[in-house]
Amino acid sequence: MLVERFAENPIIRPQDVTPSRDDNEVVGAFNAGATVFRGQILLLLRVAERPKDKAADEQVAPILNPHTGEIEHFRAKNDDPAVEIPDSRSFFYNGKINLTSISHLRIARSDDGVHFEIDDRPAVYPQTYYETYGLEDPRITQIGEKWYITYKVVSDHGICTGLLSTEDFEYFERHGIIFCPENLDVVLFPEMIRGEYWALTRPVPMYIGPKAIWGARSDDLIHWGGHCPVITPRPGEFDGGKVGGSCVPIKTDEGWLEIYHGSDIEDRYCLAAALHDLEDPSKVIARSKEPLMQPETDYEIKGFYGNVVFACGHVEKDGEIIIYYGASDEHTAGARTTLDKIMNTLQ
Amino acid sequence: MLVERFAENPIIRPQDVTPSRDDNEVVGAFNAGATVFRGQILLLLRVAERPKDKAADEQVAPILNPHTGEIEHFRAKNDDPAVEIPDSRSFFYNGKINLTSISHLRIARSDDGVHFEIDDRPAVYPQTYYETYGLEDPRITQIGEKWYITYKVVSDHGICTGLLSTEDFEYFERHGIIFCPENLDVVLFPEMIRGEYWALTRPVPMYIGPKAIWGARSDDLIHWGGHCPVITPRPGEFDGGKVGGSCVPIKTDEGWLEIYHGSDIEDRYCLAAALHDLEDPSKVIARSKEPLMQPETDYEIKGFYGNVVFACGHVEKDGEIIIYYGASDEHTAGARTTLDKIMNTLQ
């Protein structure tokens, strides 16, 4: 078996999370970044909320007003001719997209990696003009004594990648937008490579080009250049629709091992692995022929947005790799594997 | 009159340009970057070519094979059910986009700014894996003793912005991709502002956000960060569809004056102006209420892709500003104006 799912899955469900406001309900606790902090496993959950009083016959979009700091609710009736509903995650009003939930980041801690204590309050909450639709899908990379968190920010201006840093997981410094629209699924390598920081990014081209993983380089983690395509979708295969970085690359003797996600043309999300050259991560040495994980269990197939396994983080523990992944854009689940098992999927 | 078009317009036509190969024809000589070099006005033209033997009943896409350095021709009959033709610039084959021409950069020089001598050979020709569909729409910014050229690169991987530099307009150094897909219409400011280089960029968001002008900052012109939205389309107005930077910003006492382009929902391209704060170009002080230029003449209304005035460069000469602009994606034309006249359009 390539991966062993936790018997306790899903380990964090929306109902396990205290809403940030009394009048909200949590609809998703998923796509968590992961790291080890002060001897504990720390997850930074994406917590998606919506107003509790949402009626069945309406759509509600919670949107930050960056001037007041308040989250306001834009409501529209399902039968309003201006409303179009592509799926559970969003609706259009007169052609303008609205998200049905707004996400913030929340800390959960664990000693055994399975049972988590979840903070009552958000760690990072929508605050800036570029976060008005929320903060999503954090990846945590420890570099020296600091933790850097890339996260997807969503607003009227677009979907971009922001950068946070923290030394204590109490105070988080915002470093602004490091990749302009449309770019998401950004993962930072944990050390400099030949004198430069590296990132995997996922530009979203409008007219030309696949939804592929690109590489970028930086001297300071804030300014990025040297963009180049690295991993492209493989038409007809499980990752033929789009690919994106998932976990922080793991340094091995053979190369940087990246657990990435790929979806097919039906938007079914799997996890797979790629091995990047140690000295030049833009070179891919090998790649999984078959998925490392694919939606199989009930909680992976059904949910807020079904048929999704989507990881934003892993930790190494007792010689194993624990992958924390979002299941169906709703729950957080875990699975154990080993470096050797992942390496064996590569070709 | 806000601008005075040259009586000699269009000053450079496709038939004025020697093809780069005997079996090619030039279909466009337009969207030129402009600068002053060794006392002359220098244009870097975008020269679009296609094979001379293209038949009326077929589509042909000239594509660089980056391994051989040769440009190969992908051909498809118009009545092939796999073919879809949205307009003159491109065709789809089984859903994959192909461009009907491939562009390179060509130098033209002039003493009077109206009559140009055009080089027989290309200055910069498609060469790399990210230039397989061509090099387009250069902007030239002199910084110190060097000229930096941002240009749109197009390939299977996407539409990005590359950077060139030159000291002599003979040898051009490639600095790779400075903005990953999808990003175009990048203009560099001519000096550092509070210790940083600045650029205007035009990300193309897929899911959320307008086609707006963003700002970015850099220490070295290669690595960019600090992305922020700067100028957004104004729904219902002449620039309600999309906006993008056009000319190198002009430093005035009141602020950086940017001549930008904007199109409406019918894709009619006009030029307009914006005034940016001298110390923080992300702050827009004023903006043209009406277009500075709009398609009016025959050569601006009809052509390869009609109803387009699109500038990539200007020069200052004898107290006037000469705007060089692409007319209908086919010709190069010129127009004279003054700083005062442009300033008067602002509100």
Side-chain angles (χ1 to χ4, degrees):
Chain A
M1 199 150 48
L2 276 177
V3 301
E4 188 192 340
R5 285 167 173 80
F6 290 176
E8 296 84 351
N9 275 349
I11 54 172
I12 300 174
R13 301 160 304 164
Q15 57 266 43
D16 301 330
V17 180
T18 310
S20 67
R21 299 165 33 153
D22 290 342
D23 56 350
N24 272 357
E25 65 177 334
V26 174
V27 293
F30 62 119
N31 294 4
T35 192
V36 174
F37 177 68
R38 293 183 186 160
Q40 286 190 301
I41 293 175
L42 183 149
L43 297 184
L44 202 49
L45 296 164
R46 169 180 169 186
V47 172
E49 297 184 308
R50 70 178 176 198
K52 220 190 267 182
D53 66 356
K54 177 192 172 300
D57 68 344
E58 68 173 353
Q59 299 290 309
V60 186
I63 302 170
L64 168 73
N65 178 333
H67 306 295
T68 61
E70 292 299 310
I71 288 171
E72 298 167 358
H73 298 140
F74 172 68
R75 292 166 187 269
K77 291 289 178 195
N78 294 344
D79 60 5
D80 183 331
V83 169
E84 256 186 288
I85 307 171
D87 62 56
S88 59
R89 300 170 300 182
S90 62
F91 68 96
F92 289 87
Y93 192 81
N94 281 331
K96 186 179 167 300
I97 202 164
N98 291 278
L99 305 188
T100 56
S101 64
I102 187 165
S103 293
H104 66 265
L105 309 183
R106 185 83 65 102
I107 290 170
R109 293 176 171 87
S110 172
D111 291 315
D112 65 4
V114 177
H115 302 89
F116 280 85
E117 193 158 328
I118 306 164
D119 280 4
D120 281 343
R121 306 298 309 152
V124 191
Y125 206 69
Q127 182 180 311
T128 71
Y129 76 88
Y130 55 83
E131 297 168 345
T132 55
Y133 295 178
L135 298 82
E136 304 180 355
D137 304 354
R139 275 80 166 181
I140 311 172
T141 301
Q142 185 178 359
I143 302 177
E145 297 302 303
K146 266 197 178 180
W147 284 262
Y148 290 89
I149 299 149
T150 56
Y151 66 115
K152 181 177 161 190
V153 289
V154 191
S155 78
D156 256 355
H157 294 287
I159 299 170
C160 326
T161 297
L163 181 69
L164 300 165
S165 68
T166 186
E167 294 177 25
D168 54 15
F169 285 93
E170 285 169 22
Y171 171 71
F172 295 83
E173 188 180 351
R174 278 178 170 82
H175 298 281
I177 297 172
I178 57 170
F179 294 101
C180 64
E182 198 161 312
N183 209 315
L184 62 167
D185 296 334
V186 172
V187 177
L188 303 177
F189 285 68
E191 60 184 67
M192 281 185 152
I193 299 163
R194 301 212 294 191
E196 287 180 301
Y197 295 107
W198 273 78
L200 300 176
T201 82
R202 224 305 291 289
V204 186
M206 168 93 181
Y207 292 108
I208 301 184
K211 290 178 178 132
I213 298 173
W214 284 56
R217 306 195 301 267
S218 176
D219 295 329
D220 60 6
L221 299 167
I222 308 288
H223 302 85
W224 292 88
H227 303 279
C228 58
V230 175
I231 297 178
T232 48
R234 295 177 289 199
E237 302 203 34
F238 70 90
D239 56 2
K242 49 194 174 199
V243 290
S246 266
C247 299
V248 173
I250 302 165
K251 195 175 190 177
T252 74
D253 291 341
E254 286 93 89
W256 290 102
L257 187 67
E258 167 61 12
I259 298 169
Y260 71 90
H261 62 268
S263 65
D264 62 15
I265 49 166
E266 292 181 330
D267 222 28
R268 179 175 180 269
Y269 280 76
C270 296
L271 296 178
L275 193 67
H276 302 252
D277 187 272
L278 277 179
E279 296 289 302
D280 178 2
S282 74
K283 292 185 187 150
V284 174
I285 303 164
R287 199 164 153 187
S288 303
K289 191 184 172 181
E290 302 296 335
L292 184 64
M293 282 190 78
Q294 50 189 318
E296 281 172 5
T297 66
D298 201 54
Y299 53 88
E300 291 160 355
I301 291 170
K302 295 178 200 157
F304 189 74
Y305 188 76
N307 271 320
V308 173
V309 296
F310 186 100
C312 290
H314 78 282
V315 297
E316 297 180 61
K317 187 175 191 300
D318 308 328
E320 289 186 317
I321 289 174
I322 304 178
I323 300 170
Y324 293 102
Y325 64 98
S328 294
D329 277 12
E330 183 165 336
H331 304 296
T332 297
R336 288 185 190 85
T337 185
T338 65
L339 263 187
D340 285 348
K341 285 183 184 174
I342 302 176
M343 288 290 191
N344 285 338
T345 70
L346 301 175
Q347 64 159 207
Chain B
M1 200 154 42
L2 276 177
V3 301
E4 189 193 340
R5 287 166 172 81
F6 289 177
E8 297 84 353
N9 275 347
I11 53 172
I12 300 175
R13 301 162 303 163
Q15 57 266 43
D16 301 330
V17 180
T18 311
S20 67
R21 298 164 34 153
D22 289 343
D23 56 349
N24 271 358
E25 65 176 336
V26 174
V27 292
F30 61 120
N31 294 4
T35 191
V36 175
F37 177 69
R38 293 183 186 162
Q40 287 190 301
I41 292 176
L42 184 148
L43 298 184
L44 201 50
L45 296 164
R46 168 179 170 187
V47 172
E49 297 183 309
R50 68 177 179 200
K52 221 189 266 180
D53 67 354
K54 177 191 172 300
D57 69 344
E58 69 173 353
Q59 297 292 309
V60 186
I63 302 170
L64 168 74
N65 179 332
H67 306 295
T68 63
E70 292 299 310
I71 288 172
E72 298 168 358
H73 298 143
F74 173 68
R75 290 168 189 270
K77 292 286 179 197
N78 292 345
D79 60 4
D80 184 331
V83 170
E84 257 185 287
I85 307 171
D87 61 57
S88 58
R89 300 170 300 180
S90 62
F91 67 95
F92 288 88
Y93 191 81
N94 281 331
K96 186 178 165 301
I97 201 163
N98 291 278
L99 304 190
T100 56
S101 65
I102 186 164
S103 294
H104 66 265
L105 309 184
R106 185 83 64 103
I107 290 171
R109 293 176 171 87
S110 173
D111 290 316
D112 64 3
V114 177
H115 301 89
F116 280 84
E117 193 158 329
I118 305 164
D119 281 4
D120 281 343
R121 307 296 310 152
V124 192
Y125 206 68
Q127 181 180 311
T128 70
Y129 75 87
Y130 55 83
E131 296 168 346
T132 56
Y133 295 178
L135 297 82
E136 305 181 353
D137 304 353
R139 273 81 167 181
I140 310 172
T141 302
Q142 184 178 1
I143 304 178
E145 296 303 301
K146 269 197 177 179
W147 284 262
Y148 290 89
I149 299 150
T150 55
Y151 65 116
K152 182 176 162 190
V153 290
V154 190
S155 78
D156 256 354
H157 294 288
I159 299 169
C160 324
T161 299
L163 182 68
L164 300 165
S165 68
T166 186
E167 293 177 26
D168 54 14
F169 285 93
E170 285 170 22
Y171 172 71
F172 294 83
E173 187 179 353
R174 277 179 169 80
H175 298 281
I177 297 171
I178 57 169
F179 294 101
C180 63
E182 198 160 315
N183 209 315
L184 63 165
D185 295 333
V186 171
V187 177
L188 303 178
F189 284 68
E191 60 183 69
M192 283 186 150
I193 299 163
R194 299 210 296 191
E196 288 180 301
Y197 296 107
W198 274 77
L200 300 177
T201 82
R202 223 305 291 287
V204 186
M206 167 92 181
Y207 292 108
I208 300 182
K211 291 177 176 129
I213 298 173
W214 283 56
R217 305 194 302 265
S218 175
D219 295 329
D220 60 6
L221 299 167
I222 308 288
H223 302 84
W224 291 89
H227 303 279
C228 58
V230 175
I231 297 178
T232 49
R234 294 177 290 197
E237 303 204 32
F238 70 90
D239 56 3
K242 49 193 174 200
V243 291
S246 267
C247 300
V248 173
I250 301 165
K251 195 174 189 177
T252 73
D253 290 341
E254 287 94 89
W256 290 102
L257 186 66
E258 166 63 12
I259 298 170
Y260 71 90
H261 62 268
S263 65
D264 62 16
I265 49 167
E266 291 180 332
D267 222 27
R268 180 175 179 268
Y269 279 76
C270 296
L271 296 178
L275 191 69
H276 301 252
D277 186 273
L278 276 179
E279 296 288 302
D280 178 2
S282 74
K283 291 186 189 149
V284 175
I285 302 164
R287 198 165 154 186
S288 303
K289 190 183 173 183
E290 301 297 335
L292 185 61
M293 281 190 78
Q294 50 189 318
E296 281 173 4
T297 67
D298 201 54
Y299 53 88
E300 293 161 354
I301 290 170
K302 294 178 201 159
F304 189 74
Y305 188 76
N307 270 320
V308 173
V309 296
F310 186 100
C312 289
H314 77 283
V315 298
E316 295 178 64
K317 189 176 189 299
D318 307 329
E320 288 186 317
I321 289 174
I322 303 179
I323 300 171
Y324 292 102
Y325 64 98
S328 294
D329 276 13
E330 184 166 334
H331 303 296
T332 297
R336 288 185 191 85
T337 185
T338 64
L339 264 187
D340 284 347
K341 285 184 185 173
I342 303 176
M343 287 290 188
N344 284 339
T345 71
L346 301 175
Q347 63 160 206

